[in-house]
Amino acid sequence: MASDTAIPADDGRTGRLPPIPADQLTEAQQRVAAGISGGPRGGLRGPFPALLRSPELADRFQKFGEYLRFNSSIPTALNELAILVTARTWSAQFEWYAHHLLAMKAGLPPGIAEAIAEGRRPEGMDEDQRIVYEFCTELHTTHAVSDATYAAARGRFGEQGVVDLLGVSGYYVAVAMILNVAQVPLPPGVPEPLKPLSLG
C-alpha cells in the first residue's frame, strides 16, 4: 500500500483556503478529518484542508480518491504515471511534487517523469507505460480517445482498467483544480517543480 509519509505536512503557510485550526472545526469537520487522517493517507494534506469547508463533499471525495490511490486495478507505477500526466496538464505544482515522490517510490523510471515535466513524449517506455501515457495524454488534450487508443487500453487492462484510468484522470483534474485555486503551498525550500511550457 502506498504511503504519504515522505510528504511533509503543511508548514503553516496559508494559501487561500488554509487549514482550519483544530479548535474551530465543526463536529462534521472533525469527523471527516479524523476519517481521512486515520485512513491509508495517514494525514490531512493536499486538497483536503480546503475541502473541509464542505465536509460532506470532502468525505465523499476522499472515499472516491482512496479507491483510485490504493485499490485501482491499474498497477501503482502506471497509476502514478496517469496522475503525473494530469498534474502536468494542469501545472499543478503540489500534485506533481507529491505524486512524483510516489511515482519514484513505485518504480516509475525518472526519465519518464522528467520528459512529462518538460512537455516531451518520454523515450524508452515499455508497452504498458506507452498505453497509459497515450491514453491519458490523448484524453487530456482531445477530451476523448481514438478507437486505436481505446482498443490498446482495453486489450491490456480490460474494461475495468479503462474505467479506472478514466476515474483517476478525472479525480486528479478535480484535485489539481482545488490545489491551484486554493494555492496550496509546497513545503519550505521546495522550488516549483513544473516550469511554464512553451506554446511555440
Side-chain angles (χ1 to χ4, degrees):
M1 182 172 66
S3 171
D4 286 346
T5 55
I7 303 171
D10 182 15
D11 69 337
R13 290 180 291 170
T14 58
R16 287 176 171 161
L17 294 168
I20 302 168
D23 62 356
Q24 296 179 26
L25 293 173
T26 67
E27 184 176 336
Q29 289 169 333
Q30 291 175 14
R31 174 183 54 80
V32 174
I36 295 171
S37 297
R41 292 182 180 87
L44 193 72
R45 56 179 65 85
F48 294 105
L51 279 170
L52 274 184
R53 272 73 180 181
S54 181
E56 186 67 23
L57 173 60
D59 191 37
R60 292 170 185 253
F61 193 74
Q62 71 95 3
K63 288 174 182 175
F64 179 36
E66 183 176 310
Y67 169 77
L68 294 166
R69 271 286 311 280
F70 303 104
N71 298 293
S72 173
S73 66
I74 302 298
T76 302
L78 298 174
N79 206 44
E80 292 297 334
L81 171 58
I83 296 168
L84 291 184
V85 170
T86 306
R88 173 67 276 186
T89 300
W90 281 83
S91 294
Q93 302 289 352
F94 189 94
E95 185 168 271
W96 180 276
Y97 161 76
H99 285 278
H100 183 270
L101 291 173
L102 296 170
M104 296 302 98
K105 183 177 179 181
L108 186 72
I112 291 178
E114 181 180 351
I116 293 170
E118 295 174 357
R120 297 185 288 107
R121 178 185 175 83
E123 298 179 356
M125 291 185 288
D126 65 25
E127 186 65 6
D128 285 356
Q129 293 159 354
R130 183 192 65 77
I131 290 170
V132 170
Y133 174 81
E134 291 183 353
F135 185 96
C136 295
T137 299
E138 195 171 317
L139 177 62
H140 287 301
T141 56
T142 73
H143 306 154
V145 294
S146 67
D147 288 344
T149 300
Y150 176 82
R154 180 184 177 190
R156 176 63 186 90
F157 302 112
E159 291 184 343
Q160 180 180 354
V162 168
V163 171
D164 283 354
L165 277 175
L166 292 169
V168 77
S169 297
Y171 175 79
Y172 279 96
V173 166
V175 170
M177 289 177 173
I178 296 162
L179 294 170
N180 286 357
V181 171
Q183 297 179 347
V184 174
L186 291 163
V190 175
E192 289 192 345
L194 298 175
K195 309 304 180 191
L197 294 177
S198 172
L199 300 178

